[in-house]
């Protein structure tokens, strides 16, 4: 099968929507990362998503919708907390975990009684969802364990020959996946840090959100798997006054042992590394998030063996960046 990247005009949006309605799997852009979509009401199409992505069947998919009306059809119950978050953040980079309606197939939710629901804000995505007029279940459009795709080309690099169409929406603005909040019970729980910071959500709810740090809550099933990993080895640096010195030391050790190495750093730090190879990740952590997955993929295509990533603060969007770089480092201790 030939995999085509399609310009996001109305003809191609219709083509992709019809292909999905007919039971096919297509990749589409969102403001977070690209998704790999199927009609959630067609179990065979849903299973094809798992197959194409190489995803374990016990890892549920998020259902993407174009309207709040559709959200009410997917969920059996919409709590008061959920209403607050819908009003504040939808459409946007948030996924709400809600009690699922019984007619949503079990293969979508991996047999759980909750369903993740997300309304993306990306204009092309919205046009696609409106044209399809279906509940579109979709994981990120990468092969399992690889960094999530933030460009149509990233999707093609992973899934070439496995799907016919990738709807091109340009570079994803946020660059990291949505924040997942469980509002299916009495206490709001953060299951995955993402595009919308926990602090912003707490302001809207007027209460603290439970996290893995302050409770024994289970993270979402997907977070236990190896994730976001390029072929290169990834090392993260703890913040602190001597962070640059530690990175330079590690860089020189790796280079001495024959490994081509690159540092991922803020624009204003590039000069601190002298002649060493760096990728400029932008001036602030919003830009850092936007560039992260693309940089991990570029390190592979540029032939680096090791990637050293500057430390990030653990609040705001930093929490989501920190989570992704820790996972991409596959348990390597911080330097
Ligand atoms: O930004 C995003 O959320 C992107 C775009 C495409 O919308 N999607 C995305 O999907 O990141 P995925 O499948 O790569 O990650 C979804 C995560 C997985 O870790 C999965 O285990 C969790 O959400 N999840 C989905 N439904 C769940 C449920 N009912 N209960 C607990 N976790 C759930
Ligand atoms: Mg994913």
């Amino acid at each position: 099968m030939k995999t085509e990247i399609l310009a996001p005009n109305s003809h191609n949006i219709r083509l992709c929507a019809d292909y999905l309605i007919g039971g096919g799997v297509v990749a589409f852009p969102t403001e977070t990362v690209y998704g790999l979509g199927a009609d959630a009401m067609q179990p065979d199409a849903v299973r094809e998503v798992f197959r194409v992505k190489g995803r374990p069947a016990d890892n549920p998919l998020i259902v993407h919708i174009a309207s709040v009306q559709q959200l009410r059809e997917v969920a059996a119950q919409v709590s008061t907390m959920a209403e607050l978050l819908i009003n504040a953040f939808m459409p946007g980079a948030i996924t709400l975990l809600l009690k699922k309606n019984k007619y949503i197939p079990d293969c979508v939710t991996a047999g759980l009684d909750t369903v993740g629901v997300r309304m993306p804000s990306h204009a092309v995505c919205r046009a696609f969802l409106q044209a399809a007029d279906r509940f579109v279940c979709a994981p990120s459009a990468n092969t399992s364990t690889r960094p999530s795709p933030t460009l149509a080309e990233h999707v093609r690099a992973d899934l070439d020959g496995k799907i016919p169409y990738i709807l091109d929406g340009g570079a994803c603005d946020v660059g990291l996946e949505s924040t997942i909040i469980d509002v299916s019970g009495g206490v709001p729980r953060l299951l995955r840090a993402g595009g919308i910071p926990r602090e912003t959500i707490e302001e809207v709810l007027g209460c603290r959100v439970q996290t893995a740090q302050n409770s024994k809550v289970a993270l979402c099933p997907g977070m236990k798997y190896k994730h976001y990993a390029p072929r290169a080895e990834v090392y993260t640096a703890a913040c602190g006054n001597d962070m640059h010195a530690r990175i330079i030391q590690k860089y020189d050790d790796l280079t001495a042992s024959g490994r081509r190495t690159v540092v991922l750093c803020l624009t204003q730090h590039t000069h601190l590394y002298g002649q060493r190879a760096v990728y400029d990740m932008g001036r602030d952590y919003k830009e850092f998030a936007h560039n992260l997955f693309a940089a991990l993929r570029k390190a592979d295509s540029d032939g680096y063996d090791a990637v050293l990533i500057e430390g990030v603060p653990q609040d705001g969007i930093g929490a989501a960046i920190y989570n992704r770089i820790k996972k991409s480092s596959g348990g390597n201790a911080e330097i």
Side-chain angles (χ1 to χ4, degrees):
M1 181 188 296
K2 187 170 176 306
T3 300
E4 279 183 271
I5 295 181
L6 301 177
N9 55 41
S10 53
H11 173 268
N12 288 337
I13 288 171
R14 187 71 257 161
L15 178 72
C16 289
D18 286 342
Y19 187 70
L20 177 131
I21 291 168
V25 173
V26 279
F28 60 95
T30 84
E31 72 280 18
T32 57
V33 300
Y34 277 74
L36 185 65
D39 178 356
M41 301 307 288
Q42 299 187 47
D44 283 345
V46 176
R47 281 189 277 273
E48 181 65 4
V49 171
F50 282 88
R51 199 187 65 75
V52 165
K53 187 176 160 82
R55 179 169 180 130
D58 69 349
N59 192 358
L61 306 181
I62 293 171
V63 175
H64 297 69
I65 42 116
S67 68
V68 177
Q69 175 53 38
Q70 279 186 316
L71 177 144
R72 296 187 199 288
E73 294 166 20
V74 174
Q77 227 169 286
V78 181
S79 59
T80 312
M81 280 185 304
E83 298 284 0
L84 288 171
L85 298 181
I86 291 167
N87 287 335
F89 301 116
M90 284 194 178
I94 194 165
T95 296
L96 300 185
L97 223 67
L98 299 161
K99 287 272 181 265
K100 98 173 173 82
N101 222 325
K102 55 183 178 308
Y103 60 72
I104 301 296
D106 280 340
C107 56
V108 173
T109 57
L112 298 172
D113 65 350
T114 54
V115 58
V117 190
R118 164 155 145 70
M119 190 196 300
S121 63
H122 193 293
V124 174
C125 182
R126 290 179 64 73
F128 166 67
L129 292 174
Q130 277 157 8
D133 194 24
R134 294 289 188 277
F135 306 138
V136 176
C137 61
S140 48
N142 51 296
T143 300
S144 274
T145 80
R146 298 268 300 144
S148 298
T150 55
L151 287 173
E153 278 301 341
H154 296 163
V155 180
R156 180 149 67 186
D158 280 14
L159 303 181
D160 197 17
K162 296 186 172 166
I163 52 171
Y165 306 128
I166 302 167
L167 194 53
D168 192 354
C172 302
D173 186 30
V174 178
L176 299 179
E177 301 85 346
S178 61
T179 305
I180 304 182
I181 298 278
D182 181 356
V183 281
S184 66
V187 183
R189 304 186 311 162
L190 178 81
L191 299 194
R192 179 176 72 184
I196 297 181
R198 175 177 56 82
E199 297 86 339
T200 317
I201 290 170
E202 289 179 338
E203 265 173 47
V204 167
L205 291 178
C207 68
R208 292 296 302 275
V209 168
Q210 276 196 7
T211 63
Q213 283 86 49
N214 63 20
S215 81
K216 292 199 176 66
V217 301
L219 296 174
C220 35
M223 298 307 269
K224 69 177 182 274
Y225 292 108
K226 181 177 179 224
H227 241 120
Y228 314 118
R231 275 179 290 278
E233 262 186 300
V234 175
Y235 298 91
T236 64
C239 292
N241 290 338
D242 62 341
M243 176 180 79
H244 303 294
R246 277 183 274 116
I247 291 175
I248 286 170
Q249 181 66 56
K250 185 75 182 174
Y251 184 105
D252 292 348
D253 289 349
L254 286 164
T255 308
S257 71
R259 276 176 285 177
R260 290 193 64 216
T261 304
V262 63
V263 180
L264 275 47
C265 66
L266 289 171
T267 307
Q268 50 276 37
H269 297 163
T270 50
H271 71 278
L272 298 172
Y273 299 104
Q275 296 303 305
R276 296 171 186 84
V278 298
Y279 289 162
D280 178 346
M281 300 296 284
R283 294 216 145 262
D284 57 32
Y285 292 107
K286 189 167 175 286
E287 290 183 17
F288 204 113
H290 173 83
N291 291 323
L292 179 65
F293 287 144
L296 293 176
R297 284 176 178 267
K298 183 169 158 55
D300 280 346
S301 53
D302 288 349
Y304 287 108
D305 307 305
V307 178
L308 300 177
I309 311 181
E310 284 191 340
V312 296
Q314 289 181 42
D315 57 353
I317 189 72
I321 302 174
Y322 184 77
N323 168 275
R324 304 308 187 270
I325 63 181
K326 284 302 285 180
K327 287 193 172 293
S328 67
S329 74
N332 278 343
E334 278 183 339
I335 56 169

